[in-house]
Amino acid sequence: MENIALVVGSTGITGSNLAQELISQGWVTYGLARNPDSAVSGLIPVKANLLDEQSLEEALEKISPTHVFFTTWMRNDTEEENIRINSALVRNLLNVLSPKKTVQHVALVTGLKHYLGPFEAYAKQGTFPETPVREEQPRLEYPNFYYAQEDVVFEAAKRDNFTWSIHRPHTVIGYAIGNLMNMGITLAVYASICKETGAKFIWPGSEAQWNGLSDMTDAKVLAQQLIWASTTEAAKNQAFNVTNGDVFRWKWLWNKIADHFGIETDGFHQSIRLLEKELEGKQEIWKEIAERYGLKENDLSKLSSAWHTDLDLGRPIEVMTDMSKSRKLGFTAFESTQDSFLNLFEKLRTEKIIP
């Protein structure tokens, strides 16, 4: 039977890289988004609003996917709103697909917030999750929209008799423009500004993140695990952590990134120095850089997601992930995190996103 994929959130880092990998493996691949683009060759765009079931019914009327890959979410002001909205995104889609009876597998991408919970949790309580985080660790007592999304998938799987997989990456790095959570491009833009202005590349995070062990997830590795889990019998109906497979300390990687751009670093000193604050008022500088080098995007806000980088790098604990579960079942994809960054920077230069 032909594999027909529906990638939900196909314009994001995870979704766009997944779509490319699916197409390269010969899958018929549809990409659902509010504003789909044609950046991925061979991807069939589907324009729909996940909060509007009628919009979904019309958009998916003639599409009968065998595999659904859910890679998107909507940021809201409170976790209660995150739960309400983001569970509805998944529920609406699966409700619309339910009468077709063609879905064999649903893969949901969440993240390490599953284990860490909100910042307030460990900031106020002073108790930290045990690392490296493992899939068998129980849910936390705090409200979490990841849990709500999982529960929607579990309920629909029982109703419609499909298998599922949950994927929990650490910070995802990869190529996608205009994404809400893009550390790679954010740091590339920041480093480019430092190079042009002669400023130091200031570490914006905590002492624990600077000195502690960490890991990351290349979008291509995540894409490979999503496809592997959806087509491997032993991997179905399970949750998996997914990272590149290496570990590093930011005090080492920060200097490697700086060396690539030919700039000087300024590491951790006494307290956190937020990148969001560092980039305040830099719009005009970026506009000048974009004009000077003929870059495609001169609006800094469309490239940088400093708030998300600050959240990741500001954690008061070291965070790393155990990958044993999927390794034991045969998932072997690996990527050097340093290479993930440097390859991304080169692509950004080639695409005229940074100078």
Short mmCIF file of all heavy atoms in Angstrom, two decimals, residues 12-56:
data_model
loop_
_atom_site.label_atom_id
_atom_site.label_comp_id
_atom_site.label_asym_id
_atom_site.label_seq_id
_atom_site.Cartn_x
_atom_site.Cartn_y
_atom_site.Cartn_z
N GLY A 12 7.47 24.86 9.37
CA GLY A 12 8.38 25.00 10.50
C GLY A 12 9.68 24.23 10.31
O GLY A 12 9.89 23.56 9.30
N ILE A 13 10.56 24.33 11.29
CA ILE A 13 11.85 23.64 11.22
C ILE A 13 11.64 22.13 11.09
O ILE A 13 12.15 21.48 10.18
CB ILE A 13 12.72 23.90 12.47
CG1 ILE A 13 12.98 25.38 12.67
CG2 ILE A 13 14.04 23.15 12.37
CD1 ILE A 13 13.76 25.68 13.93
N THR A 14 10.86 21.57 12.02
CA THR A 14 10.64 20.13 12.01
C THR A 14 9.86 19.69 10.79
O THR A 14 10.23 18.75 10.08
CB THR A 14 9.91 19.70 13.29
OG1 THR A 14 10.71 20.04 14.43
CG2 THR A 14 9.63 18.21 13.29
N GLY A 15 8.74 20.38 10.52
CA GLY A 15 7.87 19.98 9.42
C GLY A 15 8.52 20.05 8.06
O GLY A 15 8.37 19.14 7.24
N SER A 16 9.25 21.11 7.79
CA SER A 16 9.86 21.26 6.45
C SER A 16 10.97 20.25 6.23
O SER A 16 11.11 19.68 5.14
CB SER A 16 10.38 22.69 6.26
OG SER A 16 11.35 23.02 7.24
N ASN A 17 11.77 20.00 7.26
CA ASN A 17 12.82 18.99 7.13
C ASN A 17 12.24 17.58 7.02
O ASN A 17 12.76 16.75 6.28
CB ASN A 17 13.79 19.08 8.32
CG ASN A 17 14.79 20.21 8.17
OD1 ASN A 17 15.84 20.04 7.57
ND2 ASN A 17 14.47 21.37 8.71
N LEU A 18 11.16 17.33 7.74
CA LEU A 18 10.49 16.03 7.64
C LEU A 18 9.92 15.83 6.25
O LEU A 18 10.06 14.75 5.66
CB LEU A 18 9.37 15.95 8.69
CG LEU A 18 8.44 14.74 8.58
CD1 LEU A 18 9.20 13.43 8.74
CD2 LEU A 18 7.31 14.86 9.62
N ALA A 19 9.28 16.87 5.71
CA ALA A 19 8.70 16.76 4.37
C ALA A 19 9.78 16.42 3.33
O ALA A 19 9.57 15.57 2.46
CB ALA A 19 8.00 18.07 4.00
N GLN A 20 10.92 17.07 3.43
CA GLN A 20 12.02 16.78 2.49
C GLN A 20 12.46 15.33 2.59
O GLN A 20 12.69 14.67 1.57
CB GLN A 20 13.20 17.71 2.78
CG GLN A 20 12.96 19.16 2.42
CD GLN A 20 14.16 20.02 2.75
OE1 GLN A 20 15.28 19.76 2.31
NE2 GLN A 20 13.95 21.06 3.54
N GLU A 21 12.57 14.83 3.82
CA GLU A 21 13.01 13.44 4.02
C GLU A 21 11.97 12.46 3.50
O GLU A 21 12.32 11.46 2.85
CB GLU A 21 13.29 13.19 5.50
CG GLU A 21 13.86 11.82 5.82
CD GLU A 21 15.22 11.56 5.21
OE1 GLU A 21 15.98 12.52 4.98
OE2 GLU A 21 15.55 10.37 4.97
N LEU A 22 10.71 12.71 3.76
CA LEU A 22 9.64 11.83 3.26
C LEU A 22 9.64 11.77 1.73
O LEU A 22 9.56 10.69 1.14
CB LEU A 22 8.28 12.33 3.75
CG LEU A 22 7.96 12.10 5.23
CD1 LEU A 22 6.81 13.00 5.68
CD2 LEU A 22 7.61 10.64 5.49
N ILE A 23 9.73 12.93 1.12
CA ILE A 23 9.73 12.99 -0.35
C ILE A 23 10.94 12.26 -0.93
O ILE A 23 10.83 11.54 -1.92
CB ILE A 23 9.69 14.47 -0.81
CG1 ILE A 23 8.32 15.08 -0.45
CG2 ILE A 23 9.95 14.58 -2.31
CD1 ILE A 23 8.29 16.58 -0.52
N SER A 24 12.10 12.40 -0.28
CA SER A 24 13.31 11.73 -0.76
C SER A 24 13.18 10.21 -0.66
O SER A 24 13.83 9.48 -1.41
CB SER A 24 14.54 12.19 0.04
OG SER A 24 14.55 11.63 1.34
N GLN A 25 12.31 9.74 0.25
CA GLN A 25 12.08 8.30 0.40
C GLN A 25 10.89 7.81 -0.41
O GLN A 25 10.49 6.65 -0.30
CB GLN A 25 11.87 7.96 1.88
CG GLN A 25 13.10 8.17 2.75
CD GLN A 25 12.94 7.63 4.16
OE1 GLN A 25 12.13 6.73 4.41
NE2 GLN A 25 13.72 8.15 5.10
N GLY A 26 10.32 8.69 -1.23
CA GLY A 26 9.28 8.26 -2.14
C GLY A 26 7.85 8.34 -1.62
O GLY A 26 6.94 7.80 -2.25
N TRP A 27 7.64 8.99 -0.49
CA TRP A 27 6.29 9.14 0.05
C TRP A 27 5.53 10.22 -0.72
O TRP A 27 6.09 11.24 -1.10
CB TRP A 27 6.33 9.54 1.52
CG TRP A 27 6.83 8.52 2.48
CD1 TRP A 27 8.01 7.81 2.42
CD2 TRP A 27 6.18 8.09 3.68
NE1 TRP A 27 8.13 6.99 3.50
CE2 TRP A 27 7.02 7.14 4.31
CE3 TRP A 27 4.99 8.44 4.31
CZ2 TRP A 27 6.69 6.51 5.51
CZ3 TRP A 27 4.65 7.83 5.51
CH2 TRP A 27 5.50 6.87 6.10
N VAL A 28 4.22 9.99 -0.91
CA VAL A 28 3.34 11.08 -1.34
C VAL A 28 3.15 11.97 -0.11
O VAL A 28 2.70 11.49 0.94
CB VAL A 28 1.98 10.55 -1.82
CG1 VAL A 28 1.04 11.72 -2.14
CG2 VAL A 28 2.17 9.66 -3.03
N THR A 29 3.51 13.24 -0.20
CA THR A 29 3.58 14.07 1.00
C THR A 29 2.79 15.36 0.84
O THR A 29 3.05 16.18 -0.04
CB THR A 29 5.05 14.41 1.33
OG1 THR A 29 5.81 13.19 1.39
CG2 THR A 29 5.16 15.13 2.66
N TYR A 30 1.82 15.55 1.74
CA TYR A 30 1.04 16.77 1.83
C TYR A 30 1.54 17.59 3.01
O TYR A 30 1.87 17.04 4.07
CB TYR A 30 -0.44 16.46 2.04
CG TYR A 30 -1.11 15.78 0.86
CD1 TYR A 30 -1.11 14.39 0.74
CD2 TYR A 30 -1.74 16.53 -0.13
CE1 TYR A 30 -1.72 13.76 -0.34
CE2 TYR A 30 -2.36 15.91 -1.22
CZ TYR A 30 -2.34 14.53 -1.31
OH TYR A 30 -2.95 13.91 -2.38
N GLY A 31 1.59 18.90 2.84
CA GLY A 31 2.03 19.79 3.90
C GLY A 31 0.94 20.76 4.30
O GLY A 31 0.56 21.63 3.52
N LEU A 32 0.42 20.59 5.50
CA LEU A 32 -0.68 21.44 5.98
C LEU A 32 -0.13 22.60 6.80
O LEU A 32 0.68 22.40 7.71
CB LEU A 32 -1.66 20.62 6.81
CG LEU A 32 -2.98 21.28 7.22
CD1 LEU A 32 -4.10 20.24 7.36
CD2 LEU A 32 -2.85 22.07 8.52
N ALA A 33 -0.59 23.81 6.48
CA ALA A 33 -0.20 25.00 7.22
C ALA A 33 -1.23 26.10 6.97
O ALA A 33 -2.00 26.03 6.01
CB ALA A 33 1.19 25.48 6.78
N ARG A 34 -1.24 27.09 7.84
CA ARG A 34 -2.15 28.23 7.62
C ARG A 34 -1.73 29.00 6.38
O ARG A 34 -2.56 29.50 5.63
CB ARG A 34 -2.15 29.15 8.84
CG ARG A 34 -3.01 28.67 9.99
CD ARG A 34 -2.87 29.56 11.21
NE ARG A 34 -1.53 29.50 11.78
CZ ARG A 34 -1.12 30.20 12.83
NH1 ARG A 34 -1.96 31.05 13.40
NH2 ARG A 34 0.10 30.08 13.31
N ASN A 35 -0.42 29.11 6.19
CA ASN A 35 0.10 29.80 5.02
C ASN A 35 1.19 28.95 4.38
O ASN A 35 2.38 29.21 4.55
CB ASN A 35 0.66 31.18 5.41
CG ASN A 35 -0.40 32.08 5.98
OD1 ASN A 35 -1.32 32.49 5.29
ND2 ASN A 35 -0.29 32.40 7.27
N PRO A 36 0.80 27.89 3.68
CA PRO A 36 1.80 26.99 3.09
C PRO A 36 2.64 27.70 2.04
O PRO A 36 2.16 28.62 1.37
CB PRO A 36 0.94 25.88 2.47
CG PRO A 36 -0.39 26.51 2.24
CD PRO A 36 -0.58 27.52 3.33
N ASP A 37 3.91 27.28 1.94
CA ASP A 37 4.77 27.84 0.90
C ASP A 37 5.28 26.72 0.01
O ASP A 37 4.98 25.55 0.23
CB ASP A 37 5.93 28.64 1.50
CG ASP A 37 6.80 27.80 2.43
OD1 ASP A 37 6.97 26.59 2.16
OD2 ASP A 37 7.29 28.34 3.44
N SER A 38 6.03 27.08 -1.00
CA SER A 38 6.51 26.09 -1.97
C SER A 38 8.02 25.88 -1.84
O SER A 38 8.70 25.58 -2.81
CB SER A 38 6.16 26.54 -3.38
OG SER A 38 6.67 27.84 -3.63
N ALA A 39 8.54 26.06 -0.62
CA ALA A 39 9.98 25.96 -0.42
C ALA A 39 10.50 24.53 -0.57
O ALA A 39 11.66 24.32 -0.90
CB ALA A 39 10.36 26.51 0.96
N VAL A 40 9.65 23.54 -0.32
CA VAL A 40 10.06 22.14 -0.41
C VAL A 40 9.56 21.57 -1.73
O VAL A 40 8.36 21.45 -1.96
CB VAL A 40 9.50 21.33 0.77
CG1 VAL A 40 9.90 19.86 0.64
CG2 VAL A 40 10.00 21.90 2.10
N SER A 41 10.49 21.20 -2.59
CA SER A 41 10.15 20.64 -3.90
C SER A 41 9.44 19.30 -3.74
O SER A 41 9.91 18.42 -3.02
CB SER A 41 11.42 20.47 -4.74
OG SER A 41 11.11 19.89 -5.98
N GLY A 42 8.28 19.17 -4.41
CA GLY A 42 7.53 17.92 -4.36
C GLY A 42 6.48 17.86 -3.28
O GLY A 42 5.67 16.93 -3.24
N LEU A 43 6.46 18.85 -2.39
CA LEU A 43 5.46 18.89 -1.32
C LEU A 43 4.15 19.45 -1.86
O LEU A 43 4.13 20.47 -2.54
CB LEU A 43 5.96 19.76 -0.16
CG LEU A 43 5.02 19.89 1.04
CD1 LEU A 43 4.84 18.54 1.74
CD2 LEU A 43 5.57 20.92 2.04
N ILE A 44 3.04 18.76 -1.56
CA ILE A 44 1.72 19.20 -2.00
C ILE A 44 1.11 20.07 -0.90
O ILE A 44 0.80 19.56 0.18
CB ILE A 44 0.81 18.00 -2.31
CG1 ILE A 44 1.50 17.05 -3.29
CG2 ILE A 44 -0.54 18.47 -2.85
CD1 ILE A 44 0.85 15.68 -3.38
N PRO A 45 0.94 21.38 -1.13
CA PRO A 45 0.49 22.27 -0.06
C PRO A 45 -1.00 22.11 0.24
O PRO A 45 -1.82 21.90 -0.65
CB PRO A 45 0.79 23.67 -0.61
CG PRO A 45 0.74 23.50 -2.10
CD PRO A 45 1.23 22.11 -2.39
N VAL A 46 -1.33 22.22 1.54
CA VAL A 46 -2.72 22.18 2.00
C VAL A 46 -2.92 23.37 2.93
O VAL A 46 -2.29 23.45 3.99
CB VAL A 46 -3.03 20.87 2.76
CG1 VAL A 46 -4.49 20.87 3.24
CG2 VAL A 46 -2.75 19.66 1.89
N LYS A 47 -3.77 24.31 2.54
CA LYS A 47 -4.02 25.50 3.35
C LYS A 47 -5.24 25.26 4.23
O LYS A 47 -6.34 24.98 3.73
CB LYS A 47 -4.26 26.71 2.45
CG LYS A 47 -4.49 28.02 3.20
CD LYS A 47 -4.68 29.17 2.22
CE LYS A 47 -5.02 30.47 2.93
NZ LYS A 47 -3.93 30.93 3.81
N ALA A 48 -5.07 25.33 5.54
CA ALA A 48 -6.18 25.10 6.46
C ALA A 48 -5.88 25.70 7.82
O ALA A 48 -4.72 25.90 8.20
CB ALA A 48 -6.44 23.60 6.60
N ASN A 49 -6.95 25.96 8.56
CA ASN A 49 -6.87 26.48 9.92
C ASN A 49 -7.25 25.35 10.87
O ASN A 49 -8.39 24.88 10.86
CB ASN A 49 -7.81 27.67 10.08
CG ASN A 49 -7.78 28.25 11.48
OD1 ASN A 49 -7.10 27.73 12.38
ND2 ASN A 49 -8.51 29.33 11.69
N LEU A 50 -6.31 24.91 11.69
CA LEU A 50 -6.55 23.77 12.58
C LEU A 50 -7.61 24.05 13.64
O LEU A 50 -8.15 23.12 14.24
CB LEU A 50 -5.24 23.35 13.25
CG LEU A 50 -4.21 22.65 12.36
CD1 LEU A 50 -2.86 22.62 13.04
CD2 LEU A 50 -4.67 21.24 12.02
N LEU A 51 -7.91 25.31 13.88
CA LEU A 51 -8.94 25.66 14.86
C LEU A 51 -10.33 25.71 14.24
O LEU A 51 -11.31 25.97 14.93
CB LEU A 51 -8.61 27.00 15.53
CG LEU A 51 -7.40 26.98 16.47
CD1 LEU A 51 -7.08 28.38 16.96
CD2 LEU A 51 -7.66 26.04 17.66
N ASP A 52 -10.42 25.47 12.95
CA ASP A 52 -11.69 25.55 12.22
C ASP A 52 -11.94 24.21 11.52
O ASP A 52 -11.35 23.93 10.49
CB ASP A 52 -11.60 26.69 11.20
CG ASP A 52 -12.91 26.89 10.43
OD1 ASP A 52 -13.79 26.01 10.48
OD2 ASP A 52 -13.03 27.94 9.77
N GLU A 53 -12.82 23.39 12.11
CA GLU A 53 -13.07 22.06 11.55
C GLU A 53 -13.62 22.12 10.13
O GLU A 53 -13.31 21.27 9.30
CB GLU A 53 -14.01 21.26 12.47
CG GLU A 53 -13.31 20.70 13.70
CD GLU A 53 -14.08 19.55 14.33
OE1 GLU A 53 -14.65 18.74 13.58
OE2 GLU A 53 -14.10 19.47 15.57
N GLN A 54 -14.43 23.12 9.86
CA GLN A 54 -14.98 23.24 8.51
C GLN A 54 -13.86 23.51 7.50
O GLN A 54 -13.85 22.94 6.40
CB GLN A 54 -16.02 24.35 8.43
CG GLN A 54 -16.69 24.44 7.06
CD GLN A 54 -17.81 25.47 7.02
OE1 GLN A 54 -18.25 25.97 8.05
NE2 GLN A 54 -18.25 25.81 5.81
N SER A 55 -12.92 24.37 7.89
CA SER A 55 -11.77 24.64 7.04
C SER A 55 -10.98 23.36 6.79
O SER A 55 -10.55 23.09 5.66
CB SER A 55 -10.86 25.68 7.71
OG SER A 55 -9.57 25.72 7.13
N LEU A 56 -10.81 22.54 7.82
CA LEU A 56 -10.09 21.28 7.69
C LEU A 56 -10.84 20.30 6.78
O LEU A 56 -10.24 19.63 5.94
CB LEU A 56 -9.87 20.65 9.06
CG LEU A 56 -8.77 21.27 9.93
CD1 LEU A 56 -8.87 20.76 11.36
CD2 LEU A 56 -7.40 20.98 9.35
#
